Amino acid sequence: MPFPITSQVQTAQQTPKHYGITSPISLAPPKEADLALARKLTETLRPFGVFEEELELQRRILVLGKLNTLVKVWIREVSEAKNIPASVIDNVGGKIFTFGSYRLGVHTKGADIDALCVAPRHVERSDFFSSFYEKLKEQEEVKDLRAVEEAFVPVIKLSFDSIEIDILFARLALQTIPENLDLRDDGLLKNLDIRCIRSLNGCRVTDEILHLVPNIENFRLTLRAIKLWAKRHNIYSNILGFLGGVSWAMLVARTCQLYPNAVASTLVHKFFLVFSKWEWPNPVLLKQPEDCNLNLPVWDPRVTPSDRYHLMPIITPAYPQQNSTYNVSASTRAIMVEEFKRGLAITDEILQNKADWSKLFEAPNFFQKYKHYIVLLASAQAEKQHLEWVGLVESKIRILVGNLEKNEFITLAHVNPQSFPGPKEGTDKEEFSTMWVIGIVFKKMEGSENLNVDLTFDIQTFTDTVYRQAISSKMFEQDMKITAMHVKRKQLQQLLPRIAIQRSKRKLSSDGLRAMNDGSLDLSVDSDNSMSVPSPTGPSANKIARASSPQSSTGTATNTTDLQGKIDASRGSALLAVDTTKPDNVGTSSSNAPRKGTAPLKRPASPIQHDSEKKAKVDNVQQNPHPSPCLSADPAIKRPASPLENEMTKKAKVEELSTSETKSSGETDGHAVDPAPSVDVVPSEGESKTETELTVVDAAEEIPPAQKTPSADLSDVPILPTNPIPVVKNSIKLRLSR
């Protein structure tokens, strides 16, 4: 009966392929206006360095070819050393696969390449980190070779002919590795250890994404635009609680599934339309999850209770399905949703010819957006130690953000993914430091004149976590320090490099962007580490170290006198009095003159006293017109102290000064205000006897000599006993005045 069969074939040919878990929203083909906008989008993206030149692309292909040949030779040598039969050795194979932004075809100029070395079953992981590592070391094109065998996803990092490459390893349960191997085959996961499964996951997810979009070219151009937009708007970082490259790729892929015939200009607009109205925490899925009966853990809130608390789940399409956005917090989700809404409004204007594409990629004014900031500094004496330390601290910053947003008086905590070289301390000893900036929004207060906000536990939990991790991984050194500072908007210019301040005060032209891309703050460089846990010694850490070194720190360095608010957190506590009667948003600070009706305060001397001093002399208070209220969370210094040392302590008594003419209003948006606070000193109740209260003076309020008051007696500050584990007692307290 040939007729019915022919009918079925014709019907199947007429039915378009279905993508995604739902039907498409629109099948409308593009109009001429849409094609014109897509061409304009491409031209707008070019100055940002998101497209690689053909010559550079060919060089990458050549490097990967050399690496692939090297892998085949190495596997053959290992096979011969293990007495594998000659018939098998002739066809043993071995192959280099790529994943991440390079495999998706959206890598930018200077981006690294994520690669996977696939070997047969008789090649061990130990061989990869021994004999293959040595073989790489012999290659003259290979530089900066380093192995991170104990990482969550073990990796070898190197620079091959000036192209940075991260190589993972997977050993399959196969006798030989064929050239046409398809890693999407779920059967390859059988009998593999968990490290090999993790290593394979990156390639499997990337390949699935490319097979689940209706038009790869439209997908790529849209993804380039969205990734650049996310980086420009400071929401591109998986490790800090935003989205990484694979998550942005999956959101764009889902948009392509919903509008399969649309071109990039339309897809960018639909991207913002869909996800500004998405009802989180409903998950984003590119395909229905499949169970392969391999007993691997998959994302399933019906089975795993912890999955129910994920705020913005975006599920990888390859088995075992995982949530790629488990780091997202309430603050980071709120920030991203707000950016989606702004992107929708701008693309509406673009489609109506009321604006150009360049408006979408204008960088927001992060350093003028908030009134209050917390600045984190990670420092170490040696460059290698600093690289490891920075990687660890950065991986834990999301814990601090989570702690802050749980505080009942904090609405939002926004960490800027861009790190900066730390300020110079004016000491002779060389020190490498890296700095992150977190914007803070306090809740509008109602029904209370003054509220005391204690951030002690929030900071303490974060620093304790970092130090415990450093000690357990045996990477901790005594000179590794974390410093937390509370600063106002107008004080940031003392800490940040000049290029960051200039970038926040003006819109960058194409020429300005090119100039910046030549420096250390290149926003176009792809640094997607979302497919694996980043190593502290990775390429991004190297870039941070180069930016942080004293030789390359060209910004406005802040010396010791600019940071006189710094105290040893293991011996003291900082009381910060903060006024929230002004907006926390965009605006410029006004004069540095003291606020009318606010009595200036003096700063007591640091509680760190020399061991031989019996009586602290605090009559002379240093004057500084721009102090930065600072809290140092560095570990206690080891010294041969006796357990029976004097434990007596006396709290510093600080006179409370009242303020007059205090205005009653909460934090609002969009007005230029004077961020100078009215300063109140809050005597703490129930403080530990080993802590000393410290009044922090606002940067605008210099203390006239005539108004100095007698300072507290700090003669009985205790000496901490010897402890191999860092003893950190942080205290940042804020008084919020209506």
Side-chain angles (χ1 to χ4, degrees):
M1 296 177 63
F3 183 75
I5 296 176
T6 304
S7 242
Q8 292 173 3
V9 171
Q10 290 177 349
T11 303
Q13 290 175 348
Q14 294 173 357
T15 304
K17 182 179 179 180
H18 178 68
Y19 293 91
I21 62 173
T22 63
S23 299
I25 294 176
S26 172
L27 294 172
K31 300 177 182 178
E32 184 58 36
D34 299 329
L35 296 173
L37 281 173
R39 290 191 291 269
K40 290 182 179 179
L41 175 61
T42 301
E43 293 305 314
T44 303
L45 291 174
R46 288 193 186 281
F48 290 91
V50 299
F51 297 105
E52 192 171 46
E53 300 295 335
E54 183 65 24
L55 185 62
E56 182 65 21
L57 182 59
Q58 292 301 323
R59 193 163 72 93
R60 287 177 181 269
I61 294 174
L62 181 62
V63 165
L64 287 173
K66 291 181 179 179
L67 195 59
N68 194 55
T69 301
L70 198 65
V71 165
K72 291 180 182 296
V73 172
W74 165 67
I75 291 179
R76 186 180 182 89
E77 292 175 353
V78 172
S79 303
E80 292 173 349
K82 295 188 177 183
N83 298 320
I84 301 297
S87 58
V88 175
I89 293 178
D90 291 339
N91 301 304
V92 70
K95 191 174 180 180
I96 285 287
F97 292 85
T98 59
F99 61 97
S101 62
Y102 179 80
R103 177 70 178 94
L104 289 173
V106 296
H107 61 285
T108 57
K109 292 180 181 179
D112 61 354
I113 297 177
D114 297 311
L116 171 69
C117 173
V118 176
R121 61 193 179 195
H122 60 270
V123 179
E124 304 282 347
R125 182 175 296 274
S126 58
D127 297 326
F128 177 73
F129 283 100
S130 56
S131 58
F132 185 65
Y133 181 88
E134 293 300 323
K135 198 168 193 65
L136 288 172
K137 190 184 294 185
E138 296 171 359
Q139 310 304 311
E140 60 181 17
E141 302 99 330
V142 173
K143 308 292 182 185
D144 301 328
L145 181 65
R146 55 209 181 277
V148 191
E149 191 171 359
E150 301 303 321
F152 185 75
V153 181
V155 60
I156 289 179
K157 295 174 175 287
L158 68 147
S159 175
F160 199 114
D161 195 15
S162 301
I163 296 176
E164 291 184 351
I165 304 177
D166 294 350
I167 309 177
L168 310 182
F169 175 80
R171 168 197 180 202
L172 301 184
L174 301 174
Q175 191 176 31
T176 62
I177 303 298
E179 282 296 319
N180 60 349
L181 180 66
D182 185 359
L183 294 181
R184 292 189 302 145
D185 182 5
D186 294 332
L188 295 175
L189 302 180
K190 292 181 180 179
N191 303 318
L192 297 189
D193 65 61
I194 189 62
R195 291 175 297 179
C196 288
I197 293 175
R198 290 174 188 153
S199 299
L200 285 167
N201 191 50
C203 288
R204 287 168 51 80
V205 168
T206 304
D207 289 349
E208 281 288 356
I209 291 174
L210 291 175
H211 281 81
L212 290 170
V213 294
N215 187 302
I216 292 180
E217 291 306 314
N218 289 337
F219 163 76
R220 285 173 173 167
L221 182 55
T222 306
L223 181 55
R224 287 183 189 275
I226 294 302
K227 289 180 68 173
L228 176 63
W229 166 82
K231 292 175 183 178
R232 299 283 286 165
H233 287 252
N234 301 310
I235 54 174
Y236 188 102
S237 177
N238 177 53
I239 198 171
L240 293 177
F242 295 103
L243 304 189
V246 68
S247 299
W248 291 114
M250 287 189 286
L251 292 186
V252 172
R254 185 66 185 123
T255 307
C256 293
Q257 291 178 343
L258 296 174
Y259 301 89
N261 297 325
V263 293
S265 56
T266 304
L267 289 171
V268 171
H269 175 255
K270 297 303 184 184
F271 172 90
F272 293 119
L273 176 64
V274 170
F275 295 110
S276 63
K277 301 181 183 299
W278 194 272
E279 295 181 356
W280 304 105
N282 289 330
V284 175
L285 296 164
L286 297 182
K287 59 182 288 190
Q288 287 291 353
E290 300 174 355
D291 189 3
C292 298
N293 296 319
L294 297 178
N295 295 322
L296 295 175
V298 298
W299 186 86
D300 190 346
R302 299 169 301 178
V303 177
T304 310
S306 60
D307 292 345
R308 302 168 193 168
Y309 298 97
H310 292 175
L311 301 178
M312 200 175 182
I314 302 173
I315 310 305
T316 57
Y319 180 85
Q321 298 84 7
Q322 301 295 323
N323 176 22
S324 65
T325 59
Y326 60 89
N327 284 341
V328 171
S329 66
S331 286
T332 54
R333 186 181 72 174
I335 292 165
M336 287 186 284
V337 170
E338 185 62 30
E339 292 294 345
F340 290 153
K341 294 178 180 177
R342 292 176 184 171
L344 177 61
I346 293 173
T347 51
D348 280 338
E349 295 179 4
I350 293 172
L351 295 184
Q352 297 170 13
N353 293 321
K354 295 181 179 179
D356 296 327
W357 284 110
S358 58
K359 184 175 181 180
L360 182 65
F361 305 114
E362 290 176 357
N365 215 336
F366 178 83
F367 302 113
Q368 291 291 322
K369 186 174 183 179
Y370 303 106
K371 179 181 175 183
H372 300 283
Y373 294 87
I374 289 179
V375 175
L376 288 180
L377 280 164
S379 60
Q381 297 295 331
E383 183 175 5
K384 181 180 179 181
Q385 295 172 356
H386 174 253
L387 294 179
E388 298 176 347
W389 187 232
V390 164
L392 176 60
V393 173
E394 185 178 42
S395 69
K396 303 299 181 183
I397 289 179
R398 57 189 171 87
I399 295 177
L400 175 59
V401 172
N403 292 342
L404 293 173
E405 67 187 17
K406 290 174 186 176
N407 192 297
E408 60 178 324
F409 301 113
I410 293 179
T411 302
L412 183 141
H414 183 184
V415 57
N416 189 338
Q418 177 67 56
S419 60
F420 302 95
K424 295 180 180 179
E425 305 250 347
T427 59
D428 296 334
K429 186 183 295 184
E430 185 181 36
E431 186 176 67
F432 299 88
S433 63
T434 299
M435 177 170 58
W436 297 268
V437 182
I438 305 174
I440 303 294
V441 177
F442 290 100
K443 289 183 180 178
K444 182 178 180 180
M445 299 182 303
E446 296 179 0
S448 176
E449 290 296 330
N450 294 298
L451 289 176
N452 299 331
V453 180
D454 189 353
L455 303 183
T456 302
F457 181 77
D458 305 330
I459 303 291
Q460 184 72 48
T461 304
F462 165 68
T463 55
D464 286 352
T465 301
V466 175
Y467 282 123
R468 279 198 303 267
Q469 180 69 33
I471 293 170
S472 64
S473 61
K474 299 180 180 179
M475 64 168 284
F476 177 73
E477 300 290 343
Q478 278 295 331
D479 58 2
M480 291 179 174
K481 297 181 292 185
I482 307 175
T483 303
M485 293 182 287
H486 167 267
V487 299
K488 298 298 184 61
R489 179 168 50 215
K490 61 189 175 184
Q491 295 170 302
L492 282 177
Q493 60 184 344
Q494 303 172 46
L495 300 173
L496 294 173
R498 185 178 294 107
I499 189 172
I501 297 298
Q502 290 174 348
R503 188 179 69 207
S504 68
K505 289 185 177 179
R506 62 180 174 85
K507 300 174 183 177
L508 288 173
S509 63
S510 297
D511 293 338
L513 181 68
R514 291 191 192 98
M516 186 176 66
N517 284 345
D518 293 336
S520 60
L521 300 177
D522 186 354
L523 293 180
S524 70
V525 173
D526 196 333
S527 58
D528 177 21
N529 290 316
S530 57
M531 299 304 300
S532 63
V533 175
S535 166
T537 59
S540 59
N542 280 324
K543 295 174 184 176
I544 292 172
R546 288 193 292 268
S548 303
S549 64
Q551 291 82 2
S552 62
S553 299
T554 58
T556 53
T558 305
N559 58 25
T560 308
T561 59
D562 294 322
L563 297 173
Q564 287 181 359
K566 184 180 292 188
I567 63 167
D568 187 341
S570 64
R571 299 171 175 83
S573 63
L575 294 176
L576 306 182
V578 179
D579 178 22
T580 60
T581 61
K582 297 297 182 183
D584 230 12
N585 259 353
V586 178
T588 57
S589 61
S590 59
S591 171
N592 286 343
R595 183 186 298 254
K596 182 179 179 181
T598 302
L601 300 179
K602 78 182 293 297
R603 183 193 306 276
S606 168
I608 304 175
Q609 306 293 328
H610 192 276
D611 293 345
S612 62
E613 293 180 358
K614 282 194 172 183
K615 194 78 174 178
K617 298 180 180 180
V618 292
D619 296 333
N620 296 324
V621 180
Q622 295 180 344
Q623 301 300 315
N624 182 9
H626 301 290
S628 294
C630 172
L631 181 62
S632 175
D634 56 298
I637 301 174
K638 287 185 181 180
R639 51 183 159 182
S642 167
L644 300 179
E645 283 183 320
N646 185 12
E647 294 292 331
M648 296 180 59
T649 183
K650 180 185 291 184
K651 284 191 175 184
K653 299 179 180 179
V654 186
E655 181 181 358
E656 180 176 0
L657 303 176
S658 61
T659 63
S660 61
E661 300 180 5
T662 305
K663 295 183 180 180
S664 175
S665 63
E667 293 175 351
T668 57
D669 296 335
H671 298 287
V673 295
D674 181 1
S678 59
V679 182
D680 296 313
V681 181
V682 187
S684 75
E685 297 294 332
E687 285 282 350
S688 168
K689 291 184 178 182
T690 61
E691 295 180 341
T692 305
E693 297 176 1
L694 178 67
T695 304
V696 179
V697 184
D698 179 64
E701 300 180 273
E702 182 177 359
I703 307 172
Q707 294 182 338
K708 291 183 181 179
T709 56
S711 56
D713 182 5
L714 304 177
S715 59
D716 294 322
V717 174
I719 299 174
L720 295 178
T722 300
N723 193 340
I725 299 178
V727 177
V728 182
K729 293 188 177 181
N730 300 335
S731 180
I732 293 183
K733 301 182 181 180
L734 311 167
R735 165 167 284 189
L736 306 181
S737 304
R738 292 188 62 199

